[in-house]
Amino acid sequence: MKYSPIKRLNFVLIASICVGEALIMFVLPSFGRLSTIAVVILDVALLILIIIPLVRWIVIRPMKNYIHEIESAHHTIAAQKEQLLTTLNALAKAKDNDTGDHILRTQKYVEILAKCLQHMGCYPDVLTDHYIKTLVKVAPLHDLGKVGIPDHILNKQGRFTDEERTLMNSHPMIGESILTASQPDEINGALISMAIKVAGSHHERWDGKGYPRKISGQDIPIEARIMSVADVFDALVSDRPYKKGWPIEDVLSGSCQQKRLSFRSYGYRCIYR
């Protein structure tokens, strides 16, 4: 087993002091009779001459290598995360019916919403600059689970049958499963963990009538709530196979509704509660 140089430090110091004192006791008589102060000064000087080289050789050099290895490992893991994220983003965009524009728009909406909340002082312990940066990175993965939904359902112009609706509503769990499976044990970071929450919970609703788990209120992760607002807003203002997009002014005012759920009641207010 390879021991950390940091753990060796106490042992090295104790051992070098003991060995040093033994050598000093052996060497001191060769200096003849000395005053107490001279003995102390000589003792300290010899001890320093012995300890410093030992600590340098046994602790400092290995510690530098140890720190270098840690930094190298961190860089490798960060690169693996970025590569994994890039691959998953490409997969999500390949299945996006809007040629990737929906992903880019919602990513920008997420950034705007998160920064507005931060500026307003909401969730100050959560919405840090680093958190928002990570959320923006993973936002394109919110609909990753649609890779498991057949194209004839995604592109259907009419109303879904009950069976089709059930299959369509399974995409959050599919995305969550893909992200969970794609996360190696050694990469257990905030990036993929946040992506899992976003993909798995962005269709939950404040009133508990969403899917797939029907969780409600603040049980829904804040990152998923922000993603939900961005996703719903884009869905309302954009043309889809089954509808025309609504004017932004009507969406923001809540004057247009779909299935009795305006943009405001669906997601906007839930973030602030």
Side-chain angles (χ1 to χ4, degrees):
M1 180 180 178
K2 184 179 179 180
Y3 291 96
S4 164
I6 297 173
K7 294 181 179 180
R8 299 180 194 174
L9 184 57
N10 287 336
F11 172 78
V12 171
L13 288 174
I14 293 171
S16 60
I17 289 172
C18 292
V19 172
E21 286 295 344
L23 291 172
I24 290 168
M25 293 297 293
F26 180 78
V27 170
L28 274 178
S30 63
F31 288 92
R33 292 180 60 84
L34 298 171
S35 65
T36 303
I37 294 177
V39 170
V40 171
I41 293 173
L42 188 59
D43 184 85
V44 171
L46 291 173
L47 198 58
I48 290 174
L49 289 173
I50 293 170
I51 291 177
I52 290 178
L54 283 174
V55 170
R56 276 191 162 203
W57 179 52
I58 299 177
V59 178
I60 295 179
R61 283 188 179 180
M63 187 180 292
K64 287 181 178 179
N65 293 332
Y66 180 71
I67 293 173
H68 176 73
E69 289 174 3
I70 292 176
E71 290 176 346
S72 178
H74 284 167
H75 287 312
T76 300
I77 291 174
Q80 288 176 337
K81 286 181 180 179
E82 291 296 331
Q83 185 177 14
L84 177 62
L85 189 66
T86 299
T87 302
L88 292 173
N89 277 337
L91 181 61
K93 288 178 181 178
K95 198 67 173 180
D96 183 17
N97 299 325
D98 201 13
T99 64
D101 290 342
H102 168 72
I103 285 176
L104 296 176
R105 289 194 302 267
T106 52
Q107 186 179 36
K108 192 62 180 178
Y109 297 152
V110 162
E111 183 177 13
I112 292 170
L113 282 168
K115 286 184 176 179
C116 285
L117 288 170
Q118 184 189 49
H119 181 71
M120 294 171 63
C122 301
Y123 304 97
D125 296 334
V126 176
L127 295 176
T128 62
D129 290 341
H130 177 72
Y131 177 96
I132 293 174
K133 184 178 179 180
T134 303
L135 178 56
V136 172
K137 279 186 176 182
V138 304
L141 299 177
H142 70 281
D143 275 341
L144 177 64
K146 286 184 177 179
V147 299
I149 308 300
D151 285 340
H152 74 273
I153 294 179
L154 290 175
N155 299 324
K156 185 173 181 179
Q157 306 235 352
R159 295 177 66 87
F160 288 140
T161 65
D162 290 343
E163 183 180 354
E164 289 170 338
R165 171 59 61 187
T166 298
L167 185 58
M168 186 66 177
N169 288 359
S170 69
H171 80 267
M173 291 301 296
I174 295 173
E176 184 178 295
S177 298
I178 293 172
L179 289 164
T180 301
S182 68
Q183 180 175 231
D185 292 338
E186 65 271 17
I187 305 180
N188 187 22
L191 194 71
I192 301 301
S193 296
M194 188 182 293
I196 290 170
K197 293 177 183 178
V198 167
S201 301
H202 72 284
H203 279 293
E204 301 291 356
R205 279 175 40 186
W206 188 260
D207 60 7
K209 295 181 180 179
Y211 61 89
R213 295 184 175 89
K214 297 188 181 299
I215 54 179
S216 62
Q218 294 194 16
D219 289 338
I220 306 170
I222 180 61
E223 49 269 79
R225 280 183 268 161
I226 294 173
M227 187 70 244
S228 175
V229 175
D231 195 34
V232 172
F233 178 78
D234 190 66
L236 293 177
V237 301
S238 302
D239 291 339
R240 293 293 173 89
Y242 50 85
K243 74 166 187 67
K244 281 286 189 181
W246 287 308
I248 293 177
E249 296 77 12
D250 292 344
V251 173
L252 292 176
S253 67
S255 60
C256 60
Q257 292 190 349
Q258 180 188 33
K259 297 182 180 178
R260 300 179 182 177
L261 292 173
S262 69
F263 164 69
R264 183 178 296 175
S265 65
Y266 189 93
Y268 190 77
R269 290 185 298 177
C270 79
I271 293 180
Y272 296 93
R273 292 187 179 182

